């Protein structure tokens, strides 16, 4: 029902915050006369509810407008504001203002209804149908005002459709916060503390007002309600913006474009939302894009991500998530960054229970192929490429850098080639780190992001995969090579038959990396399991990559310390750092599991009092990350050589140098070879009339900036490695 309030000549005086009246005054009789002459009106016939700047106020710049409640006008002087092709004179024209305080040198033109907002300086508002703010606005944060029922609180149901992992949005939320809140649900005390952190600073008071900070441009927009718009934001042609915060700064300006609808959420610094995109119940990180009709619902989107033409529901997406195609669909998942969802990929449409409570978890670098679909629940190791196909059963893929494909000719098992990327597309893996660093346009980097494919989280997966290949080979070896198996078992001093078989299998894999056989892994797919191809070669490649990682991290650590050689002094210092062997990807930041547990313990014991304290903990872990990696690198070398590093001989160091340089050179040479195919393959060349045309369209191999950078880095690393380990 519409509430009717009849005005009278004796309006009550409205309380105005004292800070708004600093350097302000009432209108003079001449100014009132000028305003009325220019067809302006005021609910208060005396115009006592209008305040203007003490020094700079030009009444001629207000025309055909009406004022209600209190209206406080900053400096208003003749000037022209221009942004791109929009050029307007300062002033208030054909607009209705209710309880509004403007900043200096604003343009308010054709704003049909503007209520309860505070504007910064040099703000341009042009062609807006309604712009209002209620007294209980939360601006997308998951808090409540006094007297509101709990049902009014905005939760984001990430990672699971049934709300079992829901989190409350807040302005400073990063994927790491959403991850720790959504994963450790069994800890009731922890959940209460996270809830309290989010409510911290909320006094529940009413009387909120909308905020438009300085240098904001809003034009041709239908509705803004309960919005907080950060500095230098540009909004054009938006359809509906309700209960949102748009974070923006001169260094990282945000933009919202045509037909956009955003309700109940927070948009990060430097992000851009365009072309009929829809976002409801969301947190969008820094430097993200949402465009071309994309729909983002009940999701947290990490920094540096691009979403277009697709539908994304109930997800937690870590940084560098790419999903560009109209036919792709993603629901109820935790995707841990550096991912690319192909056209036609339907992830999460199939459930295996009567309730929509399934989930999918994919570690870094998840890349499902064209028109692929999966059944909940499924889980993938880092950098798994899944070939086109409909996967009818749950998957658990523990092999990183692998290719997964459907079986053929009646074979219902999935086919897996572990280490596929190292075998066939080293260019793509090596380029990853360079590519993501180049795409990171954030000025302020709150969420730490590990972009290197070769990091502790992936190395522990490689080592785990090696152990799994050993176990599977141990069961199969008596049938693969009975004589080798019998000789190896006879030589081992292991106490149990199981350990004897594992020792024999490990020896077989180390001596026969080119052996051509397959293994069965029943864990990888429900009901029909998986067939593992090239396991011996994958085992050999995994170990080489781990060795490369370890040597690279030690070289990097020594270089940071200014050490030219890896001496006993450096070994002693590295060994003084704590050893962490289990690693977690927390929102994009790789952290030891023990530090994550310490974080959660400190939250519950009130050592950490706020989300700001939690972020400070992340920062402290990041500051020690190089030391942690160096210690882990020493540990994995000791595992590979079954010897303490202090006892490493010249023979061992020579072997490290020789093998790691071979890996380093292979990475460069195979990257060149992978890219070279684009210039030599006859099917690639057939669309060009001659080589010159192809060079103009594609550029030349020699002009590839990445390959030149990789060449320089490879030469520099090889030289440093020889210097540090060669002595």
């Amino acid at each position: 029902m519409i509430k009717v309030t009849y005005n009278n000549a004796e309006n009550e005086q409205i309380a105005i915050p004292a800070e708004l009246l600093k350097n302000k005054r009432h209108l003079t009789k001449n100014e009132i006369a000028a305003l009325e002459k220019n067809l302006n009106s005021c609910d208060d016939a005396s115009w006592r509810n209008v305040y203007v700047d003490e020094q700079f106020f030009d009444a001629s710049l207000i025309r055909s407008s009406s004022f209600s409640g209190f209206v406080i006008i900053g400096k208003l002087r003749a000037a022209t504001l221009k942004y791109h092709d929009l050029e307007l004179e300062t002033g208030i024209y054909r607009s209705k203002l209710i309880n509004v305080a403007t900043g200096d040198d604003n343009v308010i033109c054709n704003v049909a209804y503007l209520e309860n907002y505070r504007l910064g300086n040099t703000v341009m508002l042009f062609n807006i149908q309604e712009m209002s703010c209620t007294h209980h606005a939360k601006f997308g944060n998951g808090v409540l005002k006094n007297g509101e029922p709990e049902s009014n609180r905005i939760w984001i149901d990430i990672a699971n459709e049934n709300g079992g992992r829901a989190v409350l949005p807040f302005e400073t939320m990063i994927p790491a916060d959403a991850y720790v809140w959504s994963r450790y649900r069994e800890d009731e005390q922890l959940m209460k503390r996270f809830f309290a952190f989010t409510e911290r600073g909320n006094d529940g008071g009413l009387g909120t007002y909308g905020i438009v900070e300085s240098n904001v441009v809003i034009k041709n927009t239908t509705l803004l309600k309960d919005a907080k718009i950060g500095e230098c934001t540009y909004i054009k042609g938006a359809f509906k913006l309700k209960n949102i915060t748009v974070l923006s700064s001169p260094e990282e300006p945000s933009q919202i474009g045509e037909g956009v609808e955003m309700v109940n959420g927070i948009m990060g610094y430097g992000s851009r939302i365009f072309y009929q995109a829809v976002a409801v119940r969301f947190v969008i990180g820094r430097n993200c894009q949402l465009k071309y009709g994309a729909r983002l619902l009940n999701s947290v989107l990490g920094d540096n991500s691009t979403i277009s033409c697709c539908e994304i529901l109930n997800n937690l997406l870590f940084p560098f998530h790419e999903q560009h195609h109209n036919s792709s669909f993603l629901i109820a998942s935790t995707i841990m960054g550096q991912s690319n969802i192909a056209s036609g990929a339907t992830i999460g449409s199939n459930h295996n229970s009567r309730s929509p409570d399934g989930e999918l978890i994919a570690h870094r670098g998840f890349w499902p192929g064209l028109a692929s679909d999966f059944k909940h629940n499924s889980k993938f190791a880092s950098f798994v490429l899944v070939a086109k196909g409909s996967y009818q059963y749950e998957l658990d893929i523990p092999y990183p850098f692998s290719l997964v494909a459907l079986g053929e000719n009646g074979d219902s098992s999935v086919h897996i080639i572990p280490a596929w990327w190292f075998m066939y597309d080293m260019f793509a893996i090596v380029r990853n780190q360079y590519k993501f660093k180049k795409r990171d346009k954030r000025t302020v980097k709150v969420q730490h992001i590990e972009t290197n494919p070769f990091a502790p989280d992936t190395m522990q997966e490689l080592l785990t995969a090696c152990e799994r290949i050993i176990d599977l080979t141990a069961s199969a070896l008596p049938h693969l090579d009975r004589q080798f198996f019998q000789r190896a078992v006879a030589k081992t001093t292991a106490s149990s038959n199981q350990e004897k078989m594992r020792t024999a299998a490990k020896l077989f894999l180390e001596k026969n990396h080119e052996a051509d056989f397959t293994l069965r892994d029943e864990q990888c797919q429900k009901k029909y399991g998986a067939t593992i191809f090239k396991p011996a070669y994958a085992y050999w490649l995994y170990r080489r990559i781990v060795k490369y990682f370890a040597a690279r991290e030690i070289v990097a650590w020594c270089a940071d310390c200014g050490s030219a050689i890896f001496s006993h002094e450096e070994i002693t210092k590295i060994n003084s750092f704590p050893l962490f062997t289990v690693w977690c990807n927390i929102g994009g930041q790789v952290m030891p599991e023990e530090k994550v547990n310490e974080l959660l313990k400190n939250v519950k014991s009130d050592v950490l009092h706020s989300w700001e304290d939690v972020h400070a903990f992340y920062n402290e872990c990041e500051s020690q990350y190089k030391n942690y990696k160096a210690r882990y690198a020493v540990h994995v070398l000791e595992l590979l050589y079954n010897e303490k590093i202090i006892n490493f001989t010249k023979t061992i160091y020579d072997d490290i140098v020789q093998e790691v340089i071979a890996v380093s050179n292979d990475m460069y040479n195979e990257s060149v070879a992978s890219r070279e195919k684009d210039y030599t393959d006859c099917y690639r060349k057939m669309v060009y009339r001659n080589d010159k045309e192809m060079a103009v369209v594609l550029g030349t191999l020699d002009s590839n900036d990445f390959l030149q950078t990789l060449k320089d880095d490879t030469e520099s690393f090889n030289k440093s490695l020889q210097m540090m380990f060669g002595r």
Side-chain angles (χ1 to χ4, degrees), residues 32 265 522:
I32 293 173
E522 301 300 336

Side-chain angles (χ1 to χ4, degrees), residues 14 54 62 183 212 224 246 268 353 359 461 523 546 591 663 668 702 721:
I14 299 174
E54 289 179 342
I62 303 178
R183 297 315 301 181
V212 177
L224 289 94
V246 179
S353 72
E359 300 180 25
E461 290 183 32
Q523 168 190 313
V546 170
M591 292 172 56
V663 174
Y668 172 69
D702 294 337
L721 179 67

Side-chain angles (χ1 to χ4, degrees), residues 395-556:
L395 299 174
D396 182 5
I397 310 300
Y399 301 99
F401 302 94
S402 64
L403 171 69
V404 178
L406 290 172
E408 299 176 343
N409 301 322
D411 183 359
S412 297
S413 70
V414 292
H415 292 182
I416 301 175
I417 304 179
W420 181 90
W421 290 98
F422 307 146
M423 298 177 192
Y424 300 108
D425 199 356
M426 186 66 81
F427 174 83
I429 286 298
V430 175
R431 179 173 169 263
N432 258 23
Q433 179 177 201
Y434 296 85
K435 173 181 69 178
F436 290 127
K437 283 187 175 181
K438 188 175 181 179
R439 292 178 182 176
D440 191 349
K441 305 298 183 183
R442 299 172 300 162
T443 300
V444 179
K445 301 179 180 180
V446 179
Q447 176 64 69
H448 303 292
I449 307 172
E450 175 60 87
T451 58
N452 197 323
F454 309 131
D457 61 327
T458 52
M459 293 305 106
Q460 73 176 359
E461 290 183 32
L462 264 65
L463 291 171
T464 301
C466 284
E467 293 301 308
R468 185 157 191 81
I469 291 173
I470 290 173
D471 288 337
L472 296 176
T473 304
S475 299
L477 187 57
H479 309 288
L480 294 173
D481 193 330
R482 176 166 294 276
Q483 291 184 348
F484 182 96
F485 171 74
Q486 291 173 340
R487 290 196 304 270
V489 168
K491 291 180 180 179
T492 183
T493 58
S495 57
S496 68
N497 287 334
Q498 184 179 2
E499 281 304 312
K500 289 180 179 180
M501 294 175 66
R502 291 190 85 259
T503 301
K506 184 176 180 182
L507 183 63
F508 176 81
L509 291 167
E510 290 173 355
K511 291 184 174 296
N512 299 276
H513 70 266
E514 293 185 357
D516 186 13
F517 62 95
T518 62
L519 296 172
R520 289 283 302 171
D521 191 333
E522 301 300 336
Q523 168 190 313
C524 295
Q525 181 187 223
K526 186 176 181 178
K527 192 171 183 179
Y528 292 112
T531 303
I532 310 301
F533 291 82
K534 301 180 182 293
Y537 193 42
Y539 176 86
W540 179 69
L541 285 173
Y542 278 160
R543 287 173 58 88
R544 292 181 88 217
I545 294 297
V546 170
K547 193 177 297 185
Y548 168 80
F549 155 81
R552 188 204 66 203
E553 291 303 332
I554 291 172
V555 167

Side-chain angles (χ1 to χ4, degrees), residues 549-589:
F549 155 81
R552 188 204 66 203
E553 291 303 332
I554 291 172
V555 167
W557 185 88
C558 289
D560 285 345
C561 295
S563 301
I565 60 172
F566 187 51
S567 66
H568 282 266
E569 182 179 354
E570 279 69 37
I571 292 173
T572 301
K573 189 169 183 179
I574 290 176
N575 279 333
S576 70
F577 301 139
L579 172 61
F580 301 111
T581 59
V582 182
W583 299 82
C584 303
N585 180 355
I586 305 297
Q589 178 179 0

Side-chain angles (χ1 to χ4, degrees), residues 156 169-175 245-247 254-256 260-262 264-273 277-291 295-297 299-307 317:
I156 304 180
F170 54 92
E171 277 191 29
T172 59
M173 174 178 272
I174 57 176
T245 292
V246 179
L247 300 173
S254 297
Q255 296 184 28
I256 299 175
V260 168
E261 184 173 356
M262 301 176 72
N264 298 334
I266 296 164
M267 173 178 169
Y269 290 91
S271 290
R272 298 163 295 284
I273 316 297
V278 176
V280 180
R281 295 188 183 234
F282 62 90
V283 172
I284 295 173
R286 283 177 136 96
N287 188 39
C288 292
Q289 294 189 57
L290 191 68
K291 54 190 179 180
R295 290 189 287 172
L296 180 76
L297 283 72
S299 296
V300 173
L301 180 64
D303 299 352
N304 303 312
S305 296
T306 301
I307 307 293
L317 306 175

